[in-house]
Amino acid sequence: MSSNQRFKLFSDPVHGFISVPKNVIMDLIQTPEVQRLRRIRQLGVGHLVFPGAEHTRFNHALGAMALMQDALGNLSEKGTPISPDEQTAALAVALLHDVGHGAFSHTLEHELIADFSHEDMSRVLLVDLNERMDGALETALAIFDDAYDRPFFHQLVSSQLDMDRLDYLRRDSFYTGVAEGEVGVQRLLKTLRAHPLPGGPDAELMVEAKGIYAVENFLISRRLMYWQVYLHKTVLAGDELLRGILNRVQTHLDAGSAPDWLRRGSRALLFFLEHDLQVDQIDTPRVRDHYLQLDDTDVLFSLKQWMRGPDPVLADLCHRFINRRFLRVTFLPRQPSDAQMEAWRAAVAEWLVDKDLAPRTEAEAAARHYLTLNVSRHTAYDSDQELIGILGRDGTVRELSEMADTTTVSELTTFVEKPYVCYPKPVDLDLSAVSER
């Protein structure tokens, strides 16, 4: 059988041609669950800040799978045996690791289901796909759960140097045009190895000493991408606006049955807003099916319907998002006091009255959708997680900070928190009370 019969080629601007085996992997790509990822943007509202960032979760899923292929090939060349079943299972997990992402990716992840993370839904869908494929994903499920007896496979999927991070940093850098996020992916993959080499139950994923600078570059790039892209203040402003819209819809739903004009929005989206759902309910068919119907287009459709509705506040918020008239985000040196927040809310309420968006009796409640306080958090190298091991030429294993430039690594382990306030641009908030002293 010729190679063009055994593989299907996908052309990817980041990794070049991606060879997809015509087995269970190709079958998975053709499922509605994976095809749905084409309708979910990778960066949520990021495309409204970086015009080129129109790539989707589907692009990323294929990219992570492609990097998994490369990683397994390199490990195999170095002497770690990998069976065909393990190869297929690892590719499947890389492909499906983000299949549980919802509309607008991380922006709405914690808004629709309590105590939820997309990994929870990824596992639910992986279990369901395994049943539909008569157990073909049993090994993949074990790797996903970190229950497989060769744990380095799980590290390739979920660790501080996993295929997910390597792809999204490279991909997001490419599509946003932020060159600082460029990562030497192939250099990192070439220096990965399982130690001890046979890759048994005691083996862990390591980086050979010659790859230490590639690791440092990866961590630095990760930090720069978070502050320049993922936590860019205009991205945060878009996030806050979208959440404010859903909170406003929720106030109508909490007041009683939804009016007809509100029900013109997406049924899939309204299902999650009308029901107080907990994470332990996501494996029920009703919740799972509605979740799979929900993507970015549902949210945008709903906003376009609601911006013509009779609620001036909701209409204004939806108009702002659709037409990209975001609120302002200002980073603060410290958290404001309750009294300061109250004064700011009063200023926003007065602005709402002046703009005829809310009567004075309702202005303070409406102001909560326009004025929000939040905190952006990030660390490039989380020392509380599984640490990055460096394998020396003499076979000794040391943690990254013991071999690298300790000052650089120490800075990258620092957990940075930046409080910020989001508010309408025309409102002149008195920020002097929280200025640096």
Side-chain angles (χ1 to χ4, degrees):
M1 187 180 291
S2 62
S3 60
N4 65 340
Q5 292 176 308
R6 292 186 287 114
F7 294 92
K8 185 175 180 62
L9 290 180
F10 285 78
S11 180
D12 180 58
V14 177
H15 302 310
F17 286 111
I18 298 174
S19 297
V20 178
K22 286 187 176 180
N23 55 17
V24 68
I25 303 301
M26 194 63 219
D27 292 340
L28 286 171
I29 288 176
Q30 293 174 329
T31 61
E33 288 87 345
V34 174
Q35 289 298 313
R36 168 182 163 272
L37 299 180
R38 293 182 184 271
R39 303 188 298 277
I40 298 175
R41 287 188 178 89
Q42 171 79 3
L43 293 183
V45 303
H47 68 289
L48 297 174
V49 181
F50 302 92
E54 294 283 352
H55 56 304
T56 68
R57 287 280 159 188
F58 182 80
N59 306 141
H60 169 55
L62 280 181
M65 189 209 68
L67 293 184
M68 179 65 80
Q69 280 181 319
D70 291 344
L72 295 177
N74 291 331
L75 292 174
S76 182
E77 287 176 5
K78 290 177 182 178
T80 300
I82 295 170
S83 71
D85 178 61
E86 290 171 329
Q87 171 93 7
T88 299
L91 294 184
V93 179
L95 179 71
L96 298 174
H97 76 282
D98 271 351
V99 75
H101 258 298
F104 278 89
S105 292
H106 291 287
T107 304
L108 301 181
E109 181 157 339
H110 306 296
E111 302 301 311
L112 304 179
I113 303 173
D115 302 319
F116 174 80
S117 70
H118 69 274
E119 291 91 351
D120 299 322
M121 185 59 79
S122 291
R123 189 185 189 281
V124 167
L125 298 179
L126 184 53
V127 169
D128 187 54
L129 288 165
N130 184 46
E131 292 176 358
R132 278 158 46 193
M133 293 183 170
D134 299 321
L137 301 178
E138 286 291 344
T139 305
L141 190 56
I143 291 173
F144 185 91
D145 289 340
D146 197 13
Y148 192 57
D149 60 5
R150 304 182 77 189
F152 77 88
F153 277 104
H154 179 77
Q155 290 180 295
L156 288 168
V157 177
S158 180
S159 69
Q160 301 208 60
L161 283 176
D162 59 35
M163 301 307 104
D164 172 42
R165 295 186 184 189
L166 290 179
D167 180 78
Y168 77 62
L169 285 176
R170 178 83 181 276
R171 187 169 301 278
D172 297 344
S173 170
F174 177 88
Y175 280 101
T176 59
V178 177
E180 290 86 350
E182 182 68 31
V183 177
V185 171
Q186 290 304 318
R187 176 68 173 173
L188 265 174
L189 294 181
K190 287 292 185 183
T191 55
L192 282 181
R193 62 175 291 179
H195 179 73
L197 205 57
D202 60 337
E204 294 186 22
L205 205 61
M206 302 280 174
V207 178
E208 295 168 343
K210 61 185 176 183
I212 192 168
Y213 294 117
V215 176
E216 286 189 37
N217 174 59
F218 161 76
L219 295 174
I220 292 169
S221 296
R222 189 163 186 259
R223 165 148 292 181
L224 291 173
M225 283 293 287
Y226 265 85
W227 294 126
Q228 293 189 55
V229 176
Y230 310 129
L231 299 177
H232 187 287
K233 66 177 184 178
T234 311
V235 172
L236 297 176
D239 289 344
E240 294 293 332
L241 181 56
L242 191 51
R243 295 187 193 114
I245 290 169
L246 296 192
N247 288 336
R248 182 65 177 183
V249 172
Q250 196 70 61
T251 61
H252 286 286
L253 296 174
D254 291 344
S257 59
D260 289 341
W261 63 267
L262 199 64
R263 290 200 172 277
R264 293 173 191 158
S266 158
R267 286 185 297 175
L269 179 58
L270 284 167
F271 171 82
F272 289 96
L273 296 176
E274 288 182 306
H275 296 85
D276 184 18
L277 297 171
Q278 305 295 315
V279 69
D280 59 2
Q281 297 172 279
I282 64 175
D283 59 350
T284 61
R286 191 170 179 225
V287 174
R288 184 191 61 220
D289 292 347
H290 278 87
Y291 193 88
L292 289 174
Q293 293 170 27
L294 184 62
D295 54 50
D296 290 7
T297 55
D298 290 88
V299 176
L300 293 173
F301 168 78
S302 300
L303 267 56
K304 291 173 73 174
Q305 295 297 309
W306 296 333
M307 72 187 208
R308 292 190 287 268
D311 176 4
V313 169
L314 181 57
D316 177 65
L317 293 171
C318 290
H319 266 287
R320 286 177 175 277
F321 191 89
I322 293 297
N323 297 307
R324 200 191 174 280
R325 292 187 297 110
F326 290 168
L327 306 172
R328 170 174 282 134
V329 160
T330 300
F331 287 108
L332 305 172
R334 55 192 173 85
Q335 292 275 8
S337 66
D338 292 342
Q340 288 159 356
M341 282 296 294
E342 202 171 303
W344 292 347
R345 195 171 293 117
V348 173
E350 192 63 35
W351 173 78
L352 288 170
V353 172
D354 291 344
K355 297 290 289 183
D356 290 327
L357 288 171
R360 193 167 296 277
T361 54
E362 300 174 13
E364 185 174 342
R368 296 178 184 274
H369 305 302
Y370 287 85
L371 177 76
T372 54
L373 179 69
N374 213 328
V375 180
S376 64
R377 301 178 174 89
H378 173 63
T379 181
Y381 179 38
D382 190 348
S383 55
D384 291 334
Q385 287 187 12
E386 191 175 77
L387 299 176
I388 298 174
I390 305 296
L391 182 64
R393 294 181 183 276
D394 58 357
T396 59
V397 177
R398 298 165 69 185
E399 192 269 325
L400 173 64
S401 63
E402 297 177 23
M403 297 188 68
D405 182 329
T406 54
T407 303
T408 301
V409 174
S410 176
E411 290 174 355
L412 294 171
T413 60
T414 304
F415 199 81
V416 181
E417 292 191 346
K418 293 183 179 181
Y420 64 88
V421 62
C422 183
Y423 59 100
K425 293 179 181 179
V427 180
D428 185 19
L429 294 189
D430 179 13
L431 300 175
S432 60
V434 290
S435 61
E436 291 280 12
R437 294 178 176 175

